[in-house]
Amino acid sequence: MTIKQVSVFLENKAGRTQQIAQLLANKNIDILAFSLADSSEFGILRLIVDDTEKAAQTLKDAGIAVILTDVIRIDLPNKTGYLAHLLKYLQENGISIEYMYALQGDGFCSTIIRPYHLEACKDILNNYK
Amino acid sequence: MIWNINKETMDREQMRVLQGKRLQKLVTYVYHNLPFYRNKMQEIGITPADIHGIDDIINLPFTTKQDLRDNYPYGLVSAPHSQIVRIHASSGTTGNPTICAYTRHDLTVWQESVSRCLGAFGLTREDTMSVAYGYGLFTGGLGLHYGVENYGATVVPASTGNTEKHIRLIRDLGITAIACTPSYALYLSETMRKMGITRSELKLHIAALGAEPWTENMRQEIQEQLGVKAYNIYGLSEICGPGVSYECECQNGSHIVEDHFYPEIINPITCEPMGYGEKGELVFTTLTKDGMPLLRYRTKDLTSLINEPCPCGRTSVRMTPIMGRSDDMLIIRGINVFPSQVESVILSMKEFEPYYMITVDRVNNLDTIEVQVEVRDGYYSDDINEMICLKKKLQNHLKSVLSIKAEIKLVEPNSIERAQGKAKHVNDKRKL
């Protein structure tokens, strides 16, 4: 399933990630998953939240650069071997992954995937068993 | 509209005769009233009798900013204090401030000069101009203010600060013209976007911009964002303030009010006079000032003069846009770099906001230059590689213009200071 991810451009400055988390906390927005990609002087914080629109608006109002990106969420049983199986399937079908990270909650486990070719990946996943 | 047909379209030869007469009178006046100039002239062995016409100006001594500082506060005021009606002062961030003292006559000349500017910008008495230069010791605010009143248009003394209120006034009062710095004009348009006010809601169509050097790219940006025609107005407080030169509808060089302010271009190193079209340091002589007249004042502004007829009908000499100040020039690894070059590159790229900060430092005896820029909304990417490509693109573009490699730092939105007055673009940390 395709979901919206909130990406935030951050300068590499002390306390910057905390400020983002605080802004979202103040608005009662729940962060379900995140990953932080960084280069030497700036980073991109990627977030999956329970209210994407509200989160994006809150951050924009605070003058922060926000990008909404489509990513794919795949629910998997929380058991050994399922991730390896999924990745093998994607690889065999020629899907390259730009980045990925995990989303885990009570009784479920998901993989968030940003493939280089979103539509192709969606089509392939439709046939995944 | 040409405000003063007689002076602005005067035959070139007549103008030179007029300038010569005024110079003779000025030199006699300062020789007899100011020990500073009398001493300088005696040192090089000339007297007022040696001045026969405007061409003899090259024999007169120069005046520098340092002379103004050394003679602070009243050492260069030649009129008796009873004749002085106003004093402005510079910020004095690097030593003594410099002051400018005006007689009533000086203020009249200043208003006349600003009126010529307003005519060239196309104002009529029906127009309302908001003056968003700082009111106070800085000459920008009051200079424009009394010029607009003299012209007969309506002035709104908005000054700087409280930009949102100012934008509401522009909309509600139907303000048609604004005078401010180019950086403030950009800040206005950015604030308008944040407030959700579009340019179609405003009647604004003329912008008189000055007090800092700006580029053609910046003009295009401002014209597009604000929906105005943007004109350069040049001036410096030592000479009178804004109104020393101005663009006409051709937007091709600024016409100098040369019956009052005589321009020369000199080589900034040798001080030799240079010809029309040659780039050098701009020098002004205040031909008609009483309060604090200056002979051959070195502005440090780098430009060239155009002595060709302008399609607008004015015959006055024009100056090309200021390419920088001789003291703004950065020498980085032996290469001359002007902030205006960096600006023109950034403003030519749609991926970046029109703000920047240059930091120069010296690490292990090697000069470093870093340019901070903000990526424009809509050009941010979720992909680190794309962001790095954006940096490289700017870096390559800068290298082709500057011939040196600058480090690029992408910073968060709004983290570069928005200037309300003159923008500060350079932080030179080198301890030389």
Side-chain angles (χ1 to χ4, degrees), chain A residues 1 7 10-11 13 18 21 27 29 33 40 42 57 63 76-77 80 83 87 89 113 121 128:
Chain A
M1 130 176 100
S7 304
L10 294 177
E11 266 178 74
K13 278 197 269 193
Q18 193 278 334
K27 290 284 170 93
I29 296 165
S40 59
F42 66 86
Q57 199 54 51
L76 295 172
T80 311
L83 181 63
L87 293 177
Y89 174 75
I113 290 182
C121 182
Y128 182 59

Coordinates of all heavy atoms in Angstrom, one line a residue, chain A residues 1 7 10-11 13 18 21 27 29 33 40 42 57 63 76-77 80 83 87 89 113 121 128:
Chain A
M1 N 0.9 -1.2 0.0 CA 0.0 0.0 0.0 C 0.9 1.2 0.0 O 1.9 1.3 0.7 CB -0.9 -0.1 1.2 CG -1.0 1.1 2.1 SD -2.2 0.9 3.4 CE -1.2 0.4 4.8
S7 N 9.2 14.2 4.9 CA 10.6 14.3 4.9 C 11.0 15.8 5.3 O 10.3 16.7 4.8 CB 11.2 14.0 3.5 OG 10.8 12.7 3.1
L10 N 17.2 19.1 7.2 CA 17.8 19.6 8.4 C 19.2 20.0 8.3 O 20.0 19.2 7.7 CB 17.7 18.6 9.5 CG 16.3 18.2 10.0 CD1 16.5 17.1 11.1 CD2 15.6 19.3 10.6
E11 N 19.6 21.2 8.8 CA 21.0 21.4 8.8 C 21.6 20.6 10.0 O 21.0 20.3 10.9 CB 21.3 22.9 9.2 CG 21.4 23.8 8.0 CD 21.6 25.2 8.4 OE1 22.6 25.6 9.0 OE2 20.6 26.0 8.3
K13 N 22.9 20.6 12.9 CA 23.0 21.5 14.1 C 22.5 20.8 15.3 O 21.5 20.1 15.3 CB 22.2 22.8 13.9 CG 22.9 23.8 13.0 CD 22.2 25.2 13.2 CE 21.1 25.4 12.2 NZ 20.6 26.8 12.1
Q18 N 15.6 17.1 17.9 CA 14.8 17.2 19.1 C 13.7 18.2 18.8 O 12.5 18.0 19.2 CB 15.7 17.6 20.3 CG 15.0 17.5 21.6 CD 14.1 18.6 22.0 OE1 14.3 19.7 21.5 NE2 13.1 18.4 22.8
A21 N 10.9 16.7 16.8 CA 10.1 15.8 17.6 C 9.2 16.6 18.6 O 8.0 16.3 18.8 CB 11.0 14.9 18.4
K27 N 1.7 19.0 19.2 CA 0.4 18.9 18.5 C -0.2 17.5 18.6 O -1.1 17.1 17.9 CB 0.6 19.2 17.0 CG 1.0 20.7 16.8 CD -0.3 21.6 16.9 CE 0.0 23.0 16.9 NZ 0.0 23.7 15.7
I29 N 1.0 14.7 17.7 CA 1.1 13.8 16.6 C 2.1 12.7 16.9 O 3.1 12.9 17.5 CB 1.7 14.7 15.4 CG1 0.7 15.7 15.0 CG2 2.1 13.8 14.2 CD1 1.3 16.8 14.1
A33 N 7.2 5.7 12.7 CA 8.5 5.2 12.3 C 9.3 6.4 11.8 O 8.8 7.4 11.4 CB 8.4 4.2 11.2
S40 N 27.5 15.1 5.4 CA 28.4 15.8 6.4 C 27.7 17.0 7.0 O 28.0 17.4 8.1 CB 29.7 16.1 5.9 OG 29.6 16.9 4.7
F42 N 24.2 18.3 6.1 CA 22.8 18.3 6.3 C 22.2 16.9 6.3 O 22.9 15.9 6.0 CB 22.1 19.2 5.2 CG 22.3 18.6 3.8 CD1 21.3 17.6 3.3 CD2 23.3 19.0 2.9 CE1 21.4 17.1 2.1 CE2 23.4 18.4 1.7 CZ 22.5 17.5 1.2
Q57 N 1.8 20.5 8.0 CA 1.4 21.9 8.3 C 2.1 22.5 9.5 O 2.6 23.6 9.5 CB -0.1 22.0 8.5 CG -0.7 23.4 8.3 CD -0.3 24.0 6.9 OE1 -0.5 23.4 5.9 NE2 0.3 25.2 7.0
G63 N 8.4 27.1 9.8 CA 9.4 27.6 8.8 C 10.4 26.5 8.4 O 11.5 26.7 8.0
L76 N 4.4 -7.5 7.1 CA 5.0 -8.8 7.0 C 4.7 -9.5 8.4 O 4.7 -8.8 9.4 CB 6.5 -8.7 6.8 CG 7.0 -8.2 5.5 CD1 8.5 -8.0 5.5 CD2 6.6 -9.2 4.3
P77 N 4.6 -10.8 8.4 CA 4.6 -11.5 9.7 C 5.9 -11.3 10.4 O 7.0 -11.3 9.8 CB 4.4 -13.0 9.3 CG 3.9 -12.9 7.9 CD 4.4 -11.7 7.3
T80 N 11.0 -15.1 11.3 CA 12.3 -15.2 10.6 C 12.1 -15.5 9.2 O 11.3 -16.3 8.8 CB 13.1 -16.3 11.3 OG1 13.1 -16.1 12.7 CG2 14.6 -16.3 10.8
L83 N 11.5 -11.1 5.6 CA 12.1 -9.9 4.9 C 13.0 -10.4 3.8 O 13.0 -9.9 2.7 CB 12.9 -9.1 6.0 CG 13.6 -7.9 5.4 CD1 12.6 -6.9 4.8 CD2 14.5 -7.2 6.4
L87 N 12.7 -9.4 -0.1 CA 13.7 -8.7 -0.9 C 14.2 -9.5 -2.0 O 14.6 -9.0 -3.1 CB 14.9 -8.4 0.1 CG 14.6 -7.3 1.2 CD1 15.8 -7.1 2.1 CD2 14.1 -6.0 0.6
Y89 N 12.4 -11.5 -3.8 CA 11.3 -11.4 -4.8 C 11.5 -10.0 -5.5 O 11.4 -10.0 -6.8 CB 10.0 -11.4 -4.1 CG 8.8 -11.1 -5.0 CD1 8.4 -12.1 -5.9 CD2 8.1 -9.9 -5.0 CE1 7.3 -11.8 -6.8 CE2 7.1 -9.6 -5.8 CZ 6.7 -10.6 -6.7 OH 5.6 -10.4 -7.6
I113 N 9.3 1.1 2.2 CA 10.3 1.0 1.1 C 10.1 2.2 0.1 O 9.0 2.6 -0.2 CB 10.0 -0.3 0.2 CG1 10.5 -1.5 1.1 CG2 10.8 -0.2 -1.1 CD1 10.3 -2.8 0.3
C121 N 7.2 -1.0 -8.9 CA 7.3 -1.7 -7.6 C 5.9 -2.1 -7.1 O 5.7 -3.2 -6.7 CB 8.0 -0.9 -6.6 SG 8.2 -1.8 -5.0
Y128 N 2.7 -10.4 -5.1 CA 3.5 -11.0 -4.1 C 2.7 -11.9 -3.2 O 1.7 -11.4 -2.6 CB 4.3 -10.0 -3.3 CG 5.2 -10.5 -2.3 CD1 6.2 -11.4 -2.7 CD2 5.1 -10.2 -1.0 CE1 7.1 -11.9 -1.7 CE2 6.0 -10.7 0.0 CZ 7.0 -11.5 -0.4 OH 7.8 -12.0 0.5

